[in-house]
Amino acid sequence: MTPRERVIQSIQFHDTDIVPYTLTYTDNAHERMVEFYSDPDFNSKIGNHLARFSHRKNTRWTQIKPGYMQDEWGVIWNRTIDKDIGVVENTVIPEPTVSGLRIPEISDKLIAAYPDFISQNQNRFRISSIGFALFERAWSLRGMENLLLDMIDYPDFVEQLFDAIFEFNMANIDFALKQDIDCVFFGDDWGSQSGLIMGPALWRKFIKPVITKMYQHVRASGKYVAIHSCGDVKTILPDLVEAGLNIFNPFQPETMDIFNTKALYYGKLSFYGGISVQNLLPHGTPNQIRSEVSHILQQLGPGGGYIASPSHDIPSDVPTENIAALIDVLMNQ
């Protein structure tokens, strides 16, 4: 059974010989593991089951000055502290109007990068990842506080802005669906540690209709749909199932009971993540990590519906030996 076959078997709720898994890292954590293994290509050799093609990373970025990058929408990201994503430095939409907003075209860099991605990952479950898929793109353009207030004060503007982002996303989705991929993965954080940032009512009013159209479009093509949304979003898991979601990530154990949640949604929704990057990985010992991860695999693996992974890219505060312990458990199931 190839890694790709194993993932498909699992998300169709069947037993697999081992639990499918994948690991991703922040830049600092990756650099330390390269040094630990004395191998810059170590991550391709540990049996990762998922291969993710990032639309956002494969677009044209412009360096404004050292540490400051501008994306294709005109948002400037300060990466002098957070080198992986950064902090927004400007407001592309200072007033509640989409007048003058320029919707980017599909990047020629993205188009050129796809063939190598496909050819290099024939045996893995291939994901086309569209980050900042709606809410995140909107607040990066307008500002978080502004956008949340706009949902109350200027709802027509919010709908127009989301429609513009939807138009951009659909062009990227349609291009991705022409490629030999298995899944479209949408990244869009909606949650805080204690609930939805905008609350369930506003989420259902503004976000659910748009994501439903995107998810259903992907499903109609015969591909799977995955979402990454950090935080406590368990109140809308039934909505996501209704919208057409197949795989939910990051499955944070700090915000939901991973064992009860998998049981509750078994046969309806698969989960990807579940290994704590807030507590277990940074603060546990290697032996604790081996024990807890083994327990997670034993409890969540049977019957499928689970892809093992840290609940986010492994951050810089996770000790090198803890990452090595995690890799050891996953590789030696």
Side-chain angles (χ1 to χ4, degrees):
M1 184 178 289
T2 67
R4 177 178 180 272
E5 292 168 340
R6 192 175 287 121
V7 172
I8 293 173
Q9 184 89 344
S10 179
I11 63 179
Q12 291 180 347
F13 304 101
H14 300 297
D15 282 315
T16 53
D17 51 347
I18 66 170
V19 179
Y21 62 89
T22 204
L23 279 80
T24 56
Y25 317 80
T26 57
D27 287 347
N28 176 274
H30 184 267
E31 290 168 4
R32 286 190 286 111
M33 298 314 294
V34 166
E35 183 177 354
F36 178 84
Y37 289 113
S38 300
D39 183 357
D41 200 32
F42 81 93
N43 201 47
S44 69
K45 302 172 184 177
I46 65 172
N48 283 324
H49 284 58
L50 308 183
R52 189 187 302 178
F53 181 89
S54 170
H55 281 231
R56 188 165 180 261
K57 291 182 179 179
N58 284 284
T59 56
R60 298 291 180 188
W61 288 78
T62 304
Q63 180 170 295
I64 304 301
K65 59 182 178 180
Y68 291 77
M69 302 296 293
Q70 186 174 52
D71 68 23
E72 59 188 340
W73 288 84
V75 179
I76 297 173
W77 298 87
N78 177 351
R79 291 181 171 172
T80 58
I81 297 175
D82 176 8
K83 295 181 180 179
D84 293 278
I85 299 177
V87 178
V88 174
E89 286 286 309
N90 63 331
T91 304
V92 174
I93 305 177
E95 300 295 333
T97 174
V98 296
S99 177
L101 178 66
R102 183 187 62 83
I103 301 174
E105 296 181 354
I106 294 179
S107 165
D108 55 349
K109 180 183 176 184
L110 182 149
I111 294 170
Y114 248 113
D116 283 346
F117 167 76
I118 300 298
S119 65
Q120 293 169 10
N121 293 287
Q122 285 295 302
N123 290 326
R124 295 203 283 168
F125 186 79
R126 295 179 295 279
I127 292 173
S128 184
S129 178
I130 298 177
F132 278 58
L134 189 63
F135 177 69
E136 286 185 327
R137 174 50 65 193
W139 73 247
S140 74
L141 293 165
R142 176 74 175 125
M144 176 73 80
E145 297 87 349
N146 289 337
L147 181 65
L148 294 174
L149 290 171
D150 291 338
M151 288 181 171
I152 303 299
D153 296 332
Y154 302 102
D156 290 345
F157 157 71
V158 174
E159 291 180 351
Q160 292 167 9
L161 177 56
F162 281 9
D163 285 345
I165 297 167
F166 170 77
E167 179 183 335
F168 170 78
N169 286 346
M170 287 301 293
N172 279 268
I173 291 167
D174 283 337
F175 181 79
L177 293 177
K178 294 176 184 177
Q179 315 306 313
D180 186 14
I181 61 166
D182 300 297
C183 177
V184 177
F185 183 98
F186 297 92
D188 206 25
D189 289 340
W190 303 315
S192 70
Q193 199 79 350
S194 58
L196 288 165
I197 294 170
M198 71 298 293
L202 291 175
W203 183 89
R204 291 185 177 111
K205 177 178 180 179
F206 292 108
I207 295 174
K208 183 178 179 180
V210 182
I211 65 166
T212 298
K213 288 188 289 186
M214 294 192 294
Y215 294 4
Q216 293 295 335
H217 187 70
V218 174
R219 291 290 297 271
S221 75
K223 310 295 185 183
Y224 296 99
V225 177
I227 174 70
H228 167 93
S229 188
C230 287
D232 182 1
V233 300
K234 57 180 174 286
T235 58
I236 58 166
L237 289 179
D239 297 88
L240 293 173
V241 172
E242 183 181 343
L245 187 66
N246 299 110
I247 306 166
F248 177 80
N249 167 270
F251 201 31
Q252 289 172 256
E254 292 80 13
T255 65
M256 59 184 69
D257 184 320
I258 61 175
F259 305 110
N260 288 344
T261 302
K262 191 219 168 181
L264 182 63
Y265 288 93
Y266 184 75
K268 301 176 182 178
L269 190 61
S270 292
F271 294 93
Y272 155 32
I275 300 171
S276 170
V277 300
Q278 290 178 261
N279 294 305
L280 178 65
L281 291 182
H283 303 303
T285 66
N287 283 340
Q288 287 172 331
I289 288 162
R290 290 188 179 94
S291 176
E292 178 62 21
V293 173
S294 295
H295 176 67
I296 290 171
L297 297 176
Q298 291 164 6
Q299 294 298 309
L300 296 183
Y306 179 59
I307 300 166
S309 174
S311 56
H312 211 289
D313 295 344
I314 297 175
S316 60
D317 63 344
V318 178
T320 302
E321 58 270 22
N322 287 7
I323 303 174
L326 171 62
I327 291 172
D328 181 59
V329 173
L330 294 174
M331 290 185 69
N332 292 287
Q333 298 181 55

